[in-house]
Amino acid sequence: MPTKVRCVLFDFDGTLATVSEPKEAALKTAASLLSQTSGVDFQRALKTLQDLQKEMELTQALDRDEWWREAASRLEINLASDTAVAEITKSYWEAWGLRSRLFPDALSTLSRLKRGGLLLGIVANTDGKKGLKRDRMARALPLSLFDVVIVAGDDLPAKKPNPEPFALALSYLGLGPESCLYVGDDPLVDVPGAKAAGLTTALISASAQGRPDLLLGKLRQLPLLLSKSLLVDDRH
């Protein structure tokens, strides 16, 4: 573990912004549209999408257009056109955006770290369509707070848990991995990729699954925990 952290990189969904409610609402919106256009039972469509979501997230297959095509195949229905598929994706992300919120302690924590002289960044996976994730993040918080923003899958082909997005962020910052901490919420995606790139890892979770270096109950605990762990210069 480094003696001093000079930068903190963050995941976005589930780390800085809520994910459970918007994800549920978005999936219900997609299921409703599949039901309306095909006549398939809504609950059957929803259950199919819930199962599919777990599979796609596990493999980081994040293009929602492909989700609906696969769901249609499993439900044995036909989606009329690519336009119909795109309309489901558009409605899905609109529903997500309406319910997505920054965690209450997100901006205050980021501001405190910034005032302490730390560089800040985001390393997040694509939403499946180039530019969509960056636009979502820009609507939620001022990206000017961050010294680097990497959307893995958009800015480079590799997605987390591949270490390449983390290495790209470090190259932009001009820092080695020993100087940086990565904060995420997914033990299967965030921790392995950051560790493989040589970063110290912090997980916002009640479980130490993934074996992060630091475990946070809440994001707001991060500045104090960094100080107590002697990971930052106590003059900040």
Side-chain angles (χ1 to χ4, degrees):
M1 190 174 290
T3 57
K4 181 182 176 182
V5 163
R6 295 179 60 193
C7 79
V8 183
L9 305 176
F10 295 88
D11 178 40
F12 181 67
D13 289 312
T15 300
L16 298 176
T18 59
V19 69
S20 297
E21 183 182 349
K23 181 187 290 188
E24 180 181 1
L27 210 64
K28 286 182 176 178
T29 296
S32 179
L33 288 173
L34 282 173
S35 177
Q36 291 170 19
T37 57
S38 67
V40 70
D41 177 71
F42 168 77
Q43 291 298 333
R44 181 181 170 215
L46 180 60
K47 178 63 166 60
T48 298
L49 288 181
Q50 288 170 337
D51 292 343
L52 183 61
Q53 177 178 257
K54 293 176 184 176
E55 297 171 22
M56 294 298 197
E57 289 182 343
L58 191 62
T59 60
Q60 292 301 295
L62 302 175
D63 186 339
R64 267 53 174 189
D65 286 3
E66 296 305 317
W67 289 23
W68 321 138
R69 293 189 180 99
E70 177 60 24
S73 175
R74 296 184 186 189
L75 291 166
E76 299 181 326
I77 60 175
N78 291 318
L79 291 174
S81 64
D82 289 344
T83 301
V85 171
E87 186 59 34
I88 297 175
T89 297
K90 179 175 179 288
S91 297
Y92 171 95
W93 285 117
E94 286 175 349
W96 186 300
L98 285 171
R99 291 161 179 81
S100 180
R101 301 286 186 274
L102 288 180
F103 286 115
D105 55 358
L107 283 177
S108 60
T109 299
L110 292 170
S111 297
R112 185 175 175 186
L113 294 173
K114 195 74 172 179
R115 288 196 305 270
L118 293 173
L119 299 174
L120 301 180
I122 292 178
V123 178
N125 273 348
T126 178
D127 281 342
K129 298 293 182 185
K130 188 172 178 62
L132 182 57
K133 185 60 159 281
R134 194 176 293 267
D135 288 345
R136 273 207 305 123
M137 293 190 296
R139 288 195 296 270
L141 78 171
L143 293 185
S144 58
L145 273 173
F146 300 95
D147 300 281
V148 63
V149 176
I150 299 296
V151 180
D154 287 2
D155 299 327
L156 72 167
K159 299 189 290 288
K160 299 183 300 180
N162 191 297
E164 290 182 21
F166 301 98
L168 181 61
L170 293 174
S171 71
Y172 282 138
L173 293 170
L175 295 174
E178 71 281 353
S179 300
C180 291
L181 171 73
Y182 186 69
V183 183
D185 69 300
D186 191 329
L188 300 179
V189 176
D190 294 327
V191 176
K195 277 184 172 288
L199 281 73
T200 302
T201 57
L203 193 67
I204 303 174
S205 174
S207 166
Q209 182 185 0
R211 302 181 68 183
D213 299 295
L214 301 170
L215 198 62
L216 300 172
K218 298 288 184 180
L219 188 63
R220 63 176 175 267
Q221 297 171 350
L222 180 59
L224 181 59
L225 186 58
L226 285 174
S227 178
K228 286 186 174 180
S229 300
L230 301 180
L231 292 176
V232 294
D233 192 324
D234 58 12
R235 290 174 294 178
H236 291 316

